[in-house]
Amino acid sequence: MLSVVWTFKCFFLFQLLQDNGNFSIFCGDWSANEELLMLDGIEQYGFGSWEDISDNVQTKTPAEVMEHYELMYLIGNIGRGSLPPNFCTKVIDHTTSSDGPLSPSLTTPFTPVEMSLAEQQELGYMPYRDDFEREYDNDAETLVSNLTVDLNDEDLDTALKLSHVDMFSRKLMERERRKKIAREYGLIQAATSTGSKKVQTKRKYPKEEKDFREKIGPIAQFLLSSEQDQLFENLQREKQLRVRIKELMRYRRHGITKLEECSEFEAARHKREKRKENKKKMAVPSGKRGVKEEKVKEEKVNDVNDFQEMKYTQGFNYLSEKEKKLCKSMGMKPARYVTIKAIVIKDHLLRRQGIPTKTRYPSNLDKANRKRIITFLSNSGWISTS
């Protein structure tokens, strides 16, 4: 068998040299020389580069080269004899979804940040590319810079390379997330020295809205500034609707069924209330009335200004209303009062267990304030006098 193959190879080489490659192998319109030039072009330029392969053959068009190769080398006897029936490739599609770090959605145009040239140079920021000269985790590309794909790799090597690619894609996702946050919240402009000097007047909120913003502080970190404003506007609109619904229900209870009658009803109600106020003013003497009005005004001012100085100090939320008044009367900070209270209660419990202890108060604590605190704790039931 080997002698036959060797004889065939020698005969084919002899005939190729003798006829200068002008004889055909598969079909009459393709010579052996053209077959060799086509195979050399495929090896040099790669499968699918039919124009370059056609230039290498010089006598065939790209369509003729592609059709001949597919018929003779892929679909023909050579392809059936060399390619397995169930040909599988190790090439895996690693592209991500539409919102992934390598998706086409990242190339969508965005509005560039308005910055001066000096600010761009200061931050090293390129607004039209939305890139910094030094990005978050700037050495992330080293994970994949030296990776090579080889079909002969073992499963362990392939898994290791895929893990590096996954780590790199996660770093890109985190980088894009930080850029998005910086753009949405205006952190890029605020990071510049000129941006920090721009004093922005803070919007003054009503007391109710300010208290509500403080309550939803943990939730507000997940909302954009525009979303927070929209939330408060919706809540304000809800309150207005509730008030309006109550007014309409009150009109209905009084037998009013048309909006035209509401103005007449409100005018009559206003007149009745004004008569009542005039009667009360006539009943109270002028001197007493002035003193009473001053007291009412002082009480309102005290209610508004009460505990404002201590409201944002440490430990204020741990005090009851009586303890707040006690600290205000003594001029003591809530945190200091809480410390003294803890010392007194701890020593009291030790004495009840039979352990002799001597309470060590802070050195700069006034004796009068100490007696007031002990008396208050005793009257409140925290400690016993016995």
Side-chain angles (χ1 to χ4, degrees), residues 276-297:
K276 291 181 182 179
E277 291 179 358
N278 292 332
K279 289 180 180 179
K280 289 181 180 179
K281 290 179 180 179
M282 294 296 293
V284 180
S286 59
K288 293 183 178 179
R289 184 169 64 247
V291 174
K292 188 174 182 180
E293 289 178 356
E294 291 180 359
K295 288 184 178 179
V296 171
K297 290 181 180 179

Side-chain angles (χ1 to χ4, degrees), residues 181-378:
I181 293 174
R183 286 175 57 82
E184 290 178 350
Y185 288 91
L187 301 180
I188 299 176
Q189 299 93 324
T192 59
S193 59
T194 56
S196 60
K197 293 178 182 178
K198 296 178 182 178
V199 180
Q200 298 181 354
T201 57
K202 293 185 178 180
R203 176 184 170 188
K204 294 183 179 180
Y205 302 104
K207 186 176 183 302
E208 295 181 359
E209 186 174 346
K210 186 176 180 181
D211 295 339
F212 183 73
R213 284 178 178 270
E214 292 178 356
K215 289 180 181 179
I216 67 166
I219 305 174
Q221 60 181 332
F222 301 104
L223 300 176
L224 301 177
S225 178
S226 58
E227 293 176 348
Q228 291 185 31
D229 295 337
Q230 185 65 34
L231 174 62
F232 292 123
E233 288 179 3
N234 294 338
L235 291 174
Q236 191 67 23
R237 179 61 177 165
E238 180 186 0
K239 290 181 180 179
Q240 294 175 358
L241 292 175
R242 288 179 181 273
V243 172
R244 184 57 178 167
I245 290 172
K246 289 182 179 180
E247 289 180 357
L248 295 176
M249 293 175 65
R250 181 165 55 85
Y251 293 152
R252 180 59 62 88
R253 286 196 302 268
H254 288 83
I256 299 174
T257 57
K258 295 181 180 180
L259 293 176
E260 294 80 4
E261 300 174 355
C262 295
S263 58
E264 298 178 0
F265 175 79
E266 288 294 333
R269 186 176 64 85
H270 181 67
K271 289 180 180 180
R272 290 194 300 268
E273 291 179 353
K274 197 170 184 180
R275 288 196 206 102
K276 291 181 182 179
E277 291 179 358
N278 292 332
K279 289 180 180 179
K280 289 181 180 179
K281 290 179 180 179
M282 294 296 293
V284 180
S286 59
K288 293 183 178 179
R289 184 169 64 247
V291 174
K292 188 174 182 180
E293 289 178 356
E294 291 180 359
K295 288 184 178 179
V296 171
K297 290 181 180 179
E298 290 177 359
E299 290 176 359
K300 289 182 179 180
V301 172
N302 292 333
D303 292 339
V304 173
N305 297 329
D306 202 9
F307 309 134
Q308 287 296 324
E309 298 178 356
M310 299 188 301
K311 185 174 181 180
Y312 300 102
T313 57
Q314 188 176 5
F316 178 80
N317 296 330
Y318 300 112
L319 303 182
S320 62
E321 292 296 326
K322 293 183 179 179
E323 290 176 328
K324 292 176 184 177
K325 293 180 180 179
L326 178 64
C327 292
K328 182 175 177 59
S329 62
M330 294 188 299
M332 184 179 295
K333 294 183 178 180
R336 182 176 176 81
Y337 168 79
V338 172
T339 303
I340 298 171
K341 177 182 176 181
I343 293 173
V344 173
I345 295 175
K346 180 181 177 182
D347 294 342
H348 176 71
L349 293 175
L350 292 176
R351 292 193 195 95
R352 293 192 62 180
Q353 294 175 3
I355 302 174
T357 55
K358 183 179 180 181
T359 305
R360 296 182 178 180
Y361 298 100
S363 58
N364 55 351
L365 178 62
D366 187 64
K367 291 184 179 181
N369 291 339
R370 183 178 66 185
K371 290 181 180 180
R372 291 185 63 182
I373 293 173
I374 294 174
T375 304
F376 174 80
L377 295 177
S378 178

Side-chain angles (χ1 to χ4, degrees), residues 31-42:
S31 64
N33 193 22
E34 291 173 340
E35 298 281 353
L36 289 176
L37 291 174
M38 181 188 67
L39 295 176
D40 290 341
I42 291 174

Side-chain angles (χ1 to χ4, degrees), residues 168-183:
F168 175 65
S169 64
R170 291 177 183 273
K171 290 179 182 294
L172 286 184
M173 291 174 64
E174 179 63 19
R175 183 181 294 174
E176 292 300 325
R177 187 185 72 86
R178 290 172 180 255
K179 284 184 182 179
K180 183 178 179 182
I181 293 174
R183 286 175 57 82

